[in-house]
Amino acid sequence: MDILKHLNSQQKEAVTSDAKQILVLAGPGSGKTRVLTQRMAYLIYEKHVNPYQILAVTFTNKAAREMIARVKKLIHAELEGLWLGTFHAICARILRREADFLPVNANFIIMDADDQEALVKRVIKELGMDEKLNNPYSIHDAISRAKNNLLTAKSYTAKEYRDEVVKKVYVRYQNLLESTNSVDFDDLLFLTVRLFEEHADIHRKYASRFEHVLVDEFQDTNLAQYILLKQFSAFHHNLFAVGDEDQSIYRWRGADYRNIQRFEEDFPEAHKVLLEQNYRSTQNVLDAARGVIDQNPVRTPKALFTQRGTGQAITLYQAVDDYDEAAFVVDTIQRQMSTGEHQGGDFAIMYRTNAQSRLLEEAFLRAQIPYRLVGAQRFYGRREVKDIISFLRLVHNPEDELSLMRVINVPPRGIGDKTLIALQLVSQQKGISPGNILLELGEKGQESALWQEFSNRGGFMLADFGRMLVRWRKLAENAPLPELFDLIVQDTDYHEYIETAGEIGLNRWENVLELRRLAYEFLDSGLTTFLETVALVSDQDTLPETLNAPTLLTLHAAKGLEFPVVFIVGLDDGWLPHSRSMDDPEEMAEERRLFYVGITRAKDRLYLVRAEQRSTFGSFSSTYPSRFLEDIPENLLVRQGMVLHSRSKPGSEMRWESVAKQGPSTNGNKPIPHYKPGMRVRHPQWGEGMVIETRLDNEDEVLSVIFENEGIKRLSASVAKLEIL
DNA sequence: AAGGCCCTTCTTTTT
DNA sequence: GAAGGGCCTT
């Protein structure tokens, strides 16, 4: 039977096992996704399990989509009724169906990270606490952790003063969520667990349906998710988990790789399979990865091997500074693309923090090489995108106060502090939510009993906005989403608003159009689905699949992906490992796993890059090489770039290959600055501009020029054909 | 009410 | 080196 054809014996063992609980410990590149998809195909095709009775959980929507496609291909059939998605998406689906038993109704809004923090901030203010002393981020973090450990506000125990603060905020925070018909990310899981605990009949309904439960990336489940898995499989007890302790990188989000050990304790009969053959990387890459991960104390030892041969040496490039780091990456890519050795999509550049992408992006722009940037936050966190989504959320759920407050005066429509205070006051007195007050004013205008509660001017302004809201809601009832989208943009003059905002170089309107394009994909499914999808997108979901270009992404976002050529940049102590992880051994171990994940993404070629100096907000500071670099056997490495100076450890004899820079400007001439700040110049594409800064970078001159229509651009004098005016 | 200016403060990772 | 907050002026 061809479903099993391309499997090795360990994989086959996992796919066809008759055991009820199966734990597959799968090293990187060992065919974990393949095992998962073939297992599903095997169950359906061979064991005649109805897809309707299968539940599979992945970590990203992208992984879910890919998995569905692969299973379909294997069995040449549709997968009617199969449930496959992220924990959050699956829980949202259940909660909407069973909303009768929840503190919110089926139209609930899902709060994203920004919303959550804003809400916490609001509560802190409301309770008269000092924001400086009670960092909203960390309080929200504590609340989130509590929820992931299944602690309600009531059951949250306060041992120290800080816990009391958290508890107080938690109570009010949860109240606000309920009264505005919202849930946060963590509630999706927590409410489902409680729903099952408190309603045996509902629990039975789902548990008896799901004859087989499968889960990917099991090492990154938190307590709530682990309990959910047990609940889902409580009737048939068929639980198939795939994971790898060494790739656990979400501890800070409540994930606990010890769930793997817990699984073995909870299900002593479980069948355990180790996948150790790696099909992805060369031996050199695997040896480097192993050198790094072997330093972690608590782990199941795995003997990863490959038949792909030794492969090329790993390049360790030491840059002068972070500009040089970016230049090295882009030069190397440019060279390998021009020789035809690789195409754009073969490359990935990974870093620890999102901020590190900036210089890389600029370098790619300068070299005129398109690139793909992975990161949902970068799009959905944009002000204009959040604004439009807030309007839509308001249409969907007028009680969503956070959205209302966000956009009630965007663009400015004369609703200021005074009017808002009045609105809050009336809302409290009458027990009507601000959104519903607006709707009432919008519908009845001066006829409304509420009219007299407001000042003349305030009343008119609020009623104006209310009228728009009423109109939008009416349209939303039967018109397709893009039509609603357009009406909102039109009614609010949003285009004009962002175009006249006077910010240079920001293509805000393009982001709005991009969001509109996205809305088109929801012609049939409508507003609710759109908002839910938007709330639950993961970073990896934003990877433009069709563009064959180098990919920029964080190490976290890299999990589960692979690339022929991988650059890991910023290998300096304080960046990787990150400075925030320095004083906790558990966090340090996680940083190491993060590096391990990065290394093992590489199929053929691995570049490790660090910079002797980095600009951390404005000022340059020197760095030390990442401590993890010491754990890579020297014989795997070829060192390039600048020579380590006195700060390197005495006695560590290192071979450095001095390489001529092969940028476009290698001509041996000593550079003389040609440009001065204040000069007027003309660029062939961008037109006239003024030089605001120049600096000599290796053999080239780097200019910052402000263009009339393009804003500030950084360019290299040797590449940009500038004309001095 | 709104916009401009200067100040600080901060930057992990994300479903 | 950006973004938000506070304070000023119009």
Side-chain angles (χ1 to χ4, degrees):
Chain A
M1 134 118 204
D2 66 341
I3 285 180
L4 301 176
K5 212 162 62 185
H6 300 290
L7 299 178
N8 69 30
S9 63
Q10 290 167 313
Q11 291 171 332
K12 202 172 293 177
E13 185 185 331
V15 168
T16 60
S17 173
D18 284 328
K20 289 204 150 273
Q21 297 88 34
I22 300 158
L23 178 63
V24 182
L25 296 180
S30 62
K32 151 178 94 72
T33 315
R34 165 175 290 184
V35 164
L36 215 45
T37 48
Q38 312 249 41
R39 171 79 182 178
M40 273 192 273
Y42 174 81
L43 290 174
I44 296 166
Y45 199 87
E46 199 80 342
K47 292 285 168 178
H48 309 292
V49 177
N50 189 333
Y52 175 87
Q53 297 198 286
I54 296 177
L55 171 70
V57 191
T58 59
F59 255 71
T60 65
N61 301 297
K62 177 170 175 265
R65 277 196 308 273
E66 283 173 5
M67 210 165 280
I68 288 183
R70 286 171 74 159
V71 177
K72 269 189 195 165
K73 216 172 137 193
L74 279 169
I75 61 168
H76 308 290
E78 289 302 308
L79 296 165
E80 209 64 38
L82 173 81
W83 274 31
L84 200 161
T86 64
F87 274 106
H88 292 86
I90 286 166
C91 288
R93 192 159 163 187
I94 294 172
L95 293 179
R96 291 212 199 272
R97 291 187 176 194
E98 313 297 342
D100 288 352
F101 305 94
L102 297 178
V104 291
N105 71 43
N107 275 341
F108 62 80
I109 286 284
I110 300 169
M111 296 275 170
D112 68 19
D114 280 350
D115 300 332
Q116 294 174 51
E117 213 187 310
L119 202 57
V120 169
K121 234 182 210 171
R122 188 175 142 182
V123 172
I124 289 175
K125 259 191 208 139
E126 201 183 285
L127 295 177
M129 297 193 286
D130 186 353
E131 245 184 70
K132 300 250 157 62
L133 295 170
N134 303 289
N135 179 280
Y137 180 87
S138 83
I139 291 189
H140 171 248
D141 207 51
I143 294 175
S144 171
R145 215 163 327 128
K147 288 185 175 182
N148 285 321
N149 284 311
L150 307 176
L151 287 172
T152 58
K154 241 189 238 155
S155 58
Y156 192 89
T157 46
K159 280 186 234 113
E160 299 165 25
Y161 173 71
R162 206 196 108 82
D163 299 335
E164 282 174 41
V165 172
V166 171
K167 184 173 176 132
K168 241 160 106 183
V169 177
Y170 187 0
V171 169
R172 178 73 186 129
Y173 170 89
Q174 205 57 31
N175 263 332
L176 275 174
L177 281 180
E178 284 175 21
S179 67
T180 57
N181 199 32
S182 332
V183 304
D184 66 16
F185 279 135
D186 308 308
D187 284 337
L188 290 172
L189 310 175
F190 191 15
L191 286 175
T192 310
V193 168
R194 272 157 61 197
L195 178 75
F196 286 163
E197 271 172 1
E198 287 159 18
H199 301 274
D201 48 332
I202 297 174
H203 180 204
R204 196 174 320 112
K205 182 164 102 190
Y206 290 93
S208 61
R209 166 177 176 166
F210 298 131
E211 192 180 336
H212 288 273
V213 177
L214 303 91
V215 58
D216 194 9
E217 309 280 15
F218 182 57
Q219 77 282 356
D220 277 326
T221 51
N222 58 36
L223 181 66
Q225 290 164 331
Y226 184 67
I227 298 296
L228 271 169
L229 288 172
K230 288 181 90 173
Q231 289 178 328
F232 284 136
S233 59
F235 193 85
H236 298 282
H237 306 289
N238 291 317
L239 184 54
F240 185 94
V242 183
D244 179 9
E245 299 149 295
D246 294 336
Q247 295 185 62
S248 168
I249 54 174
Y250 286 105
R251 195 182 98 95
W252 50 275
R253 213 168 68 188
D256 187 355
Y257 65 90
R258 281 169 307 187
N259 278 344
I260 290 183
Q261 284 140 39
R262 202 168 288 153
F263 186 100
E264 294 183 73
E265 285 161 23
D266 287 354
F267 307 106
E269 306 283 290
H271 185 176
K272 185 162 141 188
V273 183
L274 250 66
L275 303 186
E276 290 170 310
Q277 177 162 10
N278 174 295
Y279 294 91
R280 177 185 297 151
S281 310
T282 65
Q283 194 62 51
N284 272 347
V285 170
L286 287 190
D287 287 349
R290 183 174 176 168
V292 170
I293 202 67
D294 270 356
Q295 300 294 319
N296 267 0
V298 197
R299 55 184 290 268
T300 317
K302 276 180 279 307
L304 275 186
F305 67 99
T306 181
Q307 289 176 352
R308 291 210 44 214
T310 318
Q312 285 176 276
I314 293 159
T315 300
L316 173 55
Y317 181 82
Q318 185 148 274
V320 185
D321 57 20
D322 40 6
Y323 287 89
D324 184 29
E325 175 181 74
F328 168 76
V329 170
V330 173
D331 284 353
T332 307
I333 289 174
Q334 197 162 34
R335 210 172 313 133
Q336 294 184 15
M337 280 172 73
S338 66
T339 59
E341 195 181 341
H342 284 291
Q343 38 182 333
D346 289 349
F347 301 96
I349 305 109
M350 302 170 189
Y351 35 79
R352 176 68 235 269
T353 67
N354 281 305
Q356 288 169 269
S357 75
R358 211 190 89 242
L359 287 180
L360 290 160
E361 288 183 67
E362 285 175 7
F364 274 111
L365 282 173
R366 220 176 307 147
Q368 309 207 339
I369 301 174
Y371 61 88
R372 319 187 276 179
L373 186 75
V374 177
Q377 276 304 87
R378 298 193 102 77
F379 182 70
Y380 291 99
R382 288 252 143 84
R383 203 180 68 209
E384 61 278 16
V385 175
K386 295 212 75 164
D387 282 350
I388 303 278
I389 290 175
S390 291
F391 283 124
L392 291 169
R393 281 179 23 166
L394 207 50
V395 171
H396 174 71
N397 171 16
E399 308 204 307
D400 179 359
E401 229 177 294
L402 218 56
S403 293
L404 176 66
M405 290 310 160
R406 182 186 174 88
V407 295
I408 192 166
N409 202 27
V410 173
R413 55 174 67 85
I415 302 177
D417 283 350
K418 281 236 171 80
T419 314
L420 284 183
I421 289 170
L423 181 60
Q424 298 281 10
L425 202 69
V426 175
S427 164
Q428 270 163 28
Q429 281 168 354
K430 306 274 171 182
I432 312 173
S433 72
N436 284 326
I437 293 178
L438 284 180
L439 288 176
E440 156 104 13
L441 289 175
E443 260 163 28
K444 299 192 188 142
Q446 302 189 39
E447 313 286 295
S448 163
L450 293 169
W451 180 264
Q452 65 206 35
E453 303 286 336
F454 296 96
S455 71
N456 207 20
R457 179 187 151 88
F460 274 112
M461 298 299 178
L462 291 175
D464 255 8
F465 188 65
R467 255 194 305 281
M468 284 202 285
L469 200 51
V470 170
R471 181 160 58 218
W472 299 340
R473 278 174 64 78
K474 209 166 279 164
L475 187 75
E477 275 167 25
N478 41 40
L481 188 52
E483 211 172 301
L484 172 65
F485 193 104
D486 290 342
L487 185 67
I488 289 174
V489 170
Q490 187 193 320
D491 278 355
T492 56
D493 281 327
Y494 201 80
H495 188 188
E496 203 194 346
Y497 164 63
I498 53 176
E499 287 299 301
T500 54
E503 289 145 315
I504 39 171
L506 291 175
N507 37 4
R508 296 197 179 276
W509 181 243
E510 273 168 40
N511 289 325
V512 175
L513 291 179
E514 174 62 21
L515 191 65
R516 185 179 186 277
R517 199 194 53 73
L518 201 71
Y520 258 98
E521 291 172 21
F522 292 81
L523 277 175
D524 304 321
S525 42
L527 186 55
T528 313
T529 321
F530 177 76
L531 290 175
E532 180 164 316
T533 308
V534 159
L536 297 180
V537 276
S538 74
D539 270 14
Q540 283 194 9
D541 299 327
T542 65
L543 201 152
E545 304 277 352
T546 47
L547 187 63
N548 186 1
T551 306
L552 299 171
L553 74 179
T554 62
L555 287 160
H556 281 91
K559 191 170 73 161
L561 305 176
E562 59 177 31
F563 300 89
V565 186
V566 167
F567 295 82
I568 302 176
V569 302
L571 281 163
D572 301 290
D573 249 33
W575 296 86
L576 187 69
H578 194 273
S579 52
R580 292 240 176 163
S581 320
M582 295 292 188
D583 41 11
D584 181 349
E586 287 278 345
E587 286 192 26
M588 186 55 81
E590 179 145 311
E591 296 290 303
R592 194 179 276 286
R593 292 192 293 268
L594 197 50
F595 187 32
Y596 176 76
V597 166
I599 294 173
T600 53
R601 300 307 95 197
K603 291 161 96 165
D604 305 317
R605 199 86 173 81
L606 177 64
Y607 292 89
L608 306 175
V609 193
R610 66 166 297 255
E612 187 66 14
Q613 291 207 309
R614 276 181 193 284
S615 49
T616 344
F617 18 42
S619 58
F620 268 101
S621 52
S622 295
T623 61
Y624 290 93
S626 167
R627 60 191 71 185
F628 299 153
L629 289 173
E630 290 166 20
D631 302 319
I632 299 178
E634 192 60 36
N635 64 325
L636 303 175
L637 294 175
V638 171
R639 290 171 184 263
Q640 293 186 356
M642 69 174 284
V643 176
L644 266 185
H645 47 249
S646 55
R647 288 190 306 108
S648 69
K649 277 188 302 191
S652 59
E653 289 296 319
M654 291 179 171
R655 291 167 291 110
W656 288 91
E657 222 174 76
S658 115
V659 237
K661 299 256 322 156
Q662 306 189 32
S665 57
T666 312
N667 51 18
N669 291 339
K670 201 156 171 39
I672 322 148
H674 282 95
Y675 301 90
K676 277 202 310 239
M679 264 181 183
R680 304 280 309 169
V681 292
R682 192 200 311 279
H683 185 274
Q685 263 175 290
W686 296 327
E688 277 188 34
M690 187 175 76
V691 179
I692 51 178
E693 189 190 278
T694 86
R695 111 192 149 88
L696 291 173
D697 187 358
N698 295 318
E699 294 107 306
D700 204 357
E701 191 175 359
V702 176
L703 309 175
S704 298
V705 182
I706 180 157
F707 291 100
E708 274 153 29
N709 299 319
E710 305 293 324
I712 297 176
K713 297 275 180 189
R714 211 182 293 275
L715 3 117
S716 135
S718 65
V719 175
K721 305 264 178 310
L722 285 179
E723 183 190 339
I724 299 176
L725 300 174

